Amino acid sequence: MAEQKSFSSSLGAIMAAVGSAVGLGNIWRFPYICGKYGGGAFILVYLCFVFLLGSVLMMSELVIGRRTQHTPIKAFHHLAPKHKAWGLVGLMGLVTSFFILSQYLVLSGWTTNYIWDSLTGTLASLGTDAGRISDHFSTFSTSGLRPIVFLVVFSLLGLVIILGGVQKGIENVSKVLMPVLVVLVLVLCVRSLTLPGAIEGVKYLFKPDFSLLTGEGILAALGQALFSLSVGMGVMIVYGSYIPTDDRLFKTAMWITASDTLIAILAGVAIFPAVFSCGFDPAGGPGLVYCVLPNVFNTMGGAGVVFSSIFFVLLMVAALTSAISLLEALTATIQAHTGMKRTWGAVVFFALTTLFGVLFSLSIGPLSHVKIAGNTLFDFVDKLNSIYLPPLSALGTIIFFGWFMKEDDIKDELSNHGTVSIGYYQLFRFLARYVAPIALVVVLVSGILG
Ligand code: PFF
């Protein structure tokens, strides 16, 4: 059966791309770094970065993908046939996708396990003793086998969707799961906002306190904006190549950016009022979701099991539609370069990323003595994925786009061959040529000097 390598409609394209963007980054990472760097003030800075930089990168990648109809390396070769070295930018994006997916699988596996623990009453049985709840998390995450089993289950689910194809797999699943995700997050928001003392959490989120915002927080906001929008990894180049030709890329990029940001803020609304209502620390760090929230749910009595299950299902749904976009970028690329069948390409990268994921998972427990430059494998890949790779590959992409890609091609693609107006173009071009590269260099250098 010939396979359809495009999304069937604009709506399908938006759903799939929003599916990629909305993930653990929105529901696990955004709330905890927002808590760490001062709530409302962090959100304001984040909003500026998302709309002034993230959306510009998103549009650039979508333009490159749809213009060339290629996967990242070939896309750069196509646009700069005499300067094949640009292909390295595409390659770097794919290497980033590979490591992000491998690490993502570890956290997604934990999330899948927490659905199980919620449904079976294990989490509820821990009561409201913070020590027991965090012991449960550390015993589980360092235990070796159990996290791996759940990691493989999650990874297999992703594989099945990718094997379904671009329309029947990715697009259809996203069209169902995204509305489900919105309903789940809204249910949790209502619950959180109706708890006694919830208003303190709302104030924390929306009343900016700039004294809590540090330089480090500003850099974290930019890094989070890139990660959350799935840019700098070649994924949006691949999805761009699947977007229908009559689609307005500006509109699509704005929908994706706005929806992703809204879901991140709603996740904050679902979490902080509840955390404040129970008197917990909003700056709980990466353990906010796995150690603090179970305690919050356990204070709700019987209903806690329901809300805890809803929360972890929400987290897993978000993770799944993101993980498949990473697997798709890798699969489509190997297929394009080797002529390998899609099925085999998907299986190869499923196997490799799962294997690396297992290694990273073990490095938290039984293999914690294996170190690279003084870091466990998991911490090492975490640094690669947050400090070095994404800003570097985003920088390469935006420099190419802003300075080397033919302007006529860009305008032609954004205006659908001159049929729609592009009044925003001058501002967009300025951001792409100057503001985005400078901001990315600052992030990279300060990350490296860190
Ligand atoms: N944007 C996803 C999140 O916020 O969890 C993570 C991600 C997915 C990053 C796909 C990069 C990517 F290509």
Side-chain angles (χ1 to χ4, degrees), residues 133-323:
I133 293 178
S134 19
D135 282 351
H136 174 77
F137 175 67
S138 49
T139 311
F140 155 70
S141 57
T142 55
S143 67
L145 187 62
R146 194 176 164 98
I148 293 178
V149 171
F150 283 94
L151 182 158
V152 174
V153 168
F154 177 89
S155 191
L156 273 171
L157 265 178
L159 175 68
V160 169
I161 298 173
I162 291 300
L163 292 182
V166 173
Q167 278 183 17
K168 295 213 179 90
I170 301 175
E171 181 175 343
N172 285 353
V173 165
S174 305
K175 274 186 185 161
V176 174
L177 290 186
M178 284 302 106
V180 169
L181 182 142
V182 172
V183 172
L184 294 181
V185 83
L186 288 176
V187 168
L188 290 171
C189 286
V190 171
R191 171 68 284 203
S192 175
L193 288 171
T194 48
L195 288 169
I199 191 69
E200 287 311 313
V202 178
K203 277 194 203 146
Y204 178 76
L205 262 182
F206 296 111
K207 226 175 108 194
D209 177 353
F210 285 94
S211 67
L212 293 175
L213 188 68
T214 55
E216 192 185 293
I218 294 176
L219 294 176
L222 180 50
Q224 172 64 12
L226 299 183
F227 182 80
S228 192
L229 290 177
S230 304
V231 291
M233 282 140 234
V235 166
M236 288 297 163
I237 296 185
V238 174
Y239 273 20
S241 74
Y242 300 159
I243 293 185
T245 45
D246 57 353
D247 198 66
R248 294 184 193 194
L249 291 182
F250 175 71
K251 191 193 77 185
T252 303
M254 288 305 142
W255 267 106
I256 305 168
T257 309
S259 316
D260 183 64
T261 309
L262 187 67
I263 302 277
I265 293 176
L266 286 177
V269 173
I271 292 175
F272 287 115
V275 166
F276 272 85
S277 162
C278 298
F280 293 120
D281 179 11
L288 185 65
V289 159
Y290 299 104
C291 298
V292 178
L293 285 191
N295 211 340
V296 170
F297 294 128
N298 287 352
T299 58
M300 295 175 184
V305 173
V306 177
F307 289 109
S308 146
S309 308
I310 292 181
F311 179 80
F312 288 109
V313 168
L314 163 73
L315 198 58
M316 186 181 141
V317 163
L320 191 59
T321 47
S322 298

Side-chain angles (χ1 to χ4, degrees), residues 371-395:
K371 300 262 162 78
I372 302 184
N375 296 290
T376 62
L377 293 181
F378 186 88
D379 290 342
F380 181 74
V381 77
D382 190 49
K383 281 204 177 129
L384 274 185
N385 287 346
S386 51
I387 302 178
Y388 303 103
L389 292 177
L392 197 61
S393 104
L395 181 64

Side-chain angles (χ1 to χ4, degrees), residues 51-98:
F51 283 95
L52 291 178
L53 298 173
S55 66
V56 169
L57 268 148
M58 162 95 56
M59 267 170 75
S60 315
E61 292 197 16
L62 295 181
V63 166
I64 293 175
R66 194 174 72 173
R67 184 75 184 169
T68 61
Q69 294 292 302
H70 282 307
T71 46
I73 303 175
K74 288 199 170 198
F76 284 99
H77 285 170
H78 179 101
L79 292 170
K82 295 206 190 99
H83 303 281
K84 293 270 193 233
W86 281 110
L88 289 176
V89 174
L91 180 65
M92 195 160 43
L94 292 160
V95 170
T96 313
S97 287
F98 182 91

Side-chain angles (χ1 to χ4, degrees), residues 345-370:
V347 170
V348 165
F349 277 111
F350 154 78
L352 286 174
T353 50
T354 304
L355 185 73
F356 273 75
V358 165
L359 274 179
F360 297 144
S361 176
L362 288 174
S363 80
I364 297 173
L367 293 184
S368 59
H369 57 281
V370 180

Side-chain angles (χ1 to χ4, degrees), residues 20-26 100 104 227-230 233 235 322 325-326:
S20 171
V22 173
L24 296 172
N26 303 59
I100 293 215
Y104 215 75
F227 182 80
S228 192
L229 290 177
S230 304
M233 282 140 234
V235 166
S322 298
S325 70
L326 292 157

